[in-house]
Amino acid sequence: MSDPQADPQADRQPERLHRISVVTPVYKGERTLPDLAVEMTALLGEQTSQDGHRWVLTEWLLVHDNGPDASADTIAALAQEHDFVRPIWLSRNFGQHPATLAGMASSSGDWIITLDEDGQHDPADIGRFLDVAIAENAQLVYAEPTNEPPHGVLRNVASKGAKWVFASFLAGGAVQTFQSYRLVLGELGRSVAAYAGAGVYLDVALGWVVDRISHVDVELREEGGRPSGYSLRRLLSHFWRLVLSSGTRGLRLVSGLGVAFGLSGILFALYLVISSSLGRHTPEGWTSNMVVVLLSTGAILFSLGVIAEYIGVAVGMAMGKPPYLIISDPGNGPLGRRPGSR
């Protein structure tokens, strides 16, 4: 009989089998979903990542967002052909982020992967997401494209500009760089889907509760030859939702601007008093008008900023921003260790 102490592998726990749910919001997927289904089917059965982590694709949730094509028939056909395909039917078109939240709420895996319907996200990269999450103890992992997205130049520039504005002025410590190809702990994803209110931007909602975020390099592919589902109006609406979901950080700039105007008025008044005492002449009435304009403008802007703070509290409650979120012991979860442990 062998001595367990003599075998260093005897006390080691077997590698956890990570169950992964894939969520795909579908708006114009009639032409692209069949090819994507072939790639997803190739991932059925137990898989092993490059770093040796075992995982299995348990379900593929196709959320029908009532697009203009025959995506519904394609989803129904795939569900009949494959047991792992789970259709989620929405009553009307709600948009990409609400559709993604609906899929996350309906998932059951240890991890949730969200990927687009158009084929630009390669499902073969899923194992790499898992490796980064476990190696860096990250609750959320975003794709970091190594190439330009397969869109027009104008859309790519506008997208980069919008994300720069968000990261520079609106993020406030939340998620600053994001992509629709992401991996998130299933428990956190389902919790976000449960409390997120109407109009919330998904990545902002994730940033409310996720503590550790990482990125993995991926190469984006072409979109399968179908036209984009985003018109200029929809893209502007998407960006505006991002701005409104970001809280009052942007409006605090208004308060800061008001303080700057007020201080400028005071300093300018002092300057004019000193100038007058030194015998310099200024047009009659101009001095008082300028001081009044600067001080009143500063007071108005500062007041607007204060009002915006109160509105921001109400908006945060309406969007479902939680004061806390209780999770299970991370040491017993998919990451396998607690924050700060080795």
Side-chain angles (χ1 to χ4, degrees):
M1 184 173 181
S2 62
D3 184 2
Q5 295 182 349
D7 184 3
Q9 303 293 327
D11 294 332
R12 294 184 60 180
Q13 297 294 325
E15 170 66 32
R16 181 189 183 100
L17 179 62
H18 298 267
R19 298 177 302 112
I20 294 181
S21 301
V22 176
V23 173
T24 300
V26 179
Y27 181 72
K28 287 184 178 180
E30 177 185 4
R31 295 169 54 182
T32 57
L33 281 178
D35 290 338
L36 186 57
V38 173
E39 295 180 305
M40 298 293 290
T41 304
L43 297 176
L44 291 178
E46 184 176 316
Q47 307 288 319
T48 303
S49 69
Q50 293 180 358
D51 290 353
H53 300 296
R54 299 166 54 235
W55 63 276
V56 60
L57 174 62
T58 58
E59 56 187 355
W60 184 23
L61 298 102
L62 298 176
V63 186
H64 182 244
D65 198 24
N66 291 268
D69 63 358
S71 293
D73 293 336
T74 303
I75 292 174
L78 289 174
Q80 286 186 342
E81 184 178 355
H82 304 288
D83 292 337
F84 75 104
V85 175
R86 289 184 54 198
I88 306 295
W89 307 102
L90 300 185
S91 61
R92 65 171 178 83
N93 173 250
F94 288 92
Q96 181 182 13
H97 284 199
T100 304
L101 286 168
M104 293 168 70
S106 305
S107 67
S108 60
D110 301 321
W111 298 91
I112 299 172
I113 281 277
T114 64
L115 60 83
D116 291 349
E117 64 184 8
D118 52 21
Q120 68 172 321
H121 299 152
D122 188 350
D125 291 327
I126 291 177
R128 299 177 59 234
F129 278 82
L130 183 62
D131 285 343
V132 171
I134 295 176
E136 302 184 14
N137 198 26
Q139 302 164 321
L140 173 63
V141 179
Y142 282 104
E144 186 70 42
T146 58
N147 59 325
E148 287 290 333
H151 309 304
V153 175
L154 181 61
R155 178 173 170 182
N156 286 338
V157 171
S159 178
K160 288 182 179 179
K163 291 180 179 180
W164 178 83
V165 169
F166 174 74
S168 301
F169 302 107
L170 303 175
V175 176
Q176 297 189 16
T177 59
F178 45 85
Q179 229 268 346
S180 56
Y181 198 7
R182 59 176 82 81
L183 170 78
V184 62
L185 274 173
E187 186 177 22
L188 289 179
R190 285 183 286 274
S191 296
V192 168
Y195 67 67
V200 67
Y201 199 90
L202 172 57
D203 298 289
V204 173
L206 288 172
W208 288 340
V209 298
V210 171
D211 181 41
R212 300 175 300 281
I213 304 172
S214 191
H215 297 81
V216 59
D217 291 339
V218 300
E219 182 176 354
L220 299 180
R221 306 183 298 186
E222 294 297 324
E223 291 185 310
R226 71 153 177 82
S228 172
Y230 281 99
S231 62
L232 177 60
R233 182 184 65 83
R234 289 173 67 92
L235 287 172
L236 291 175
S237 175
H238 205 55
F239 174 69
W240 192 239
R241 175 179 293 181
L242 172 62
V243 172
L244 293 180
S245 299
S246 303
T248 58
R249 184 177 176 84
L251 293 174
R252 286 174 184 169
L253 297 176
V254 177
S255 300
L257 189 61
V259 172
F261 268 94
L263 291 176
S264 298
I266 295 172
L267 293 175
F268 188 66
L270 293 174
Y271 166 75
L272 292 175
V273 169
I274 295 173
S275 297
S276 298
S277 65
L278 295 176
R280 295 182 181 177
H281 176 71
T282 57
E284 185 176 351
W286 182 82
T287 302
S288 59
N289 284 336
M290 286 301 298
V291 172
V292 169
V293 167
L294 288 171
L295 290 175
S296 59
T297 301
I300 291 171
L301 291 175
F302 182 75
S303 299
L304 287 175
V306 173
I307 293 172
E309 290 292 329
Y310 286 104
I311 295 176
V313 174
V315 170
M317 294 174 61
M319 289 186 173
K321 184 175 181 178
Y324 61 86
L325 184 65
I326 298 175
I327 62 174
S328 58
D329 183 356
N332 296 327
L335 287 172
R337 66 182 187 273
R338 301 174 184 86
S341 61
R342 300 181 182 227

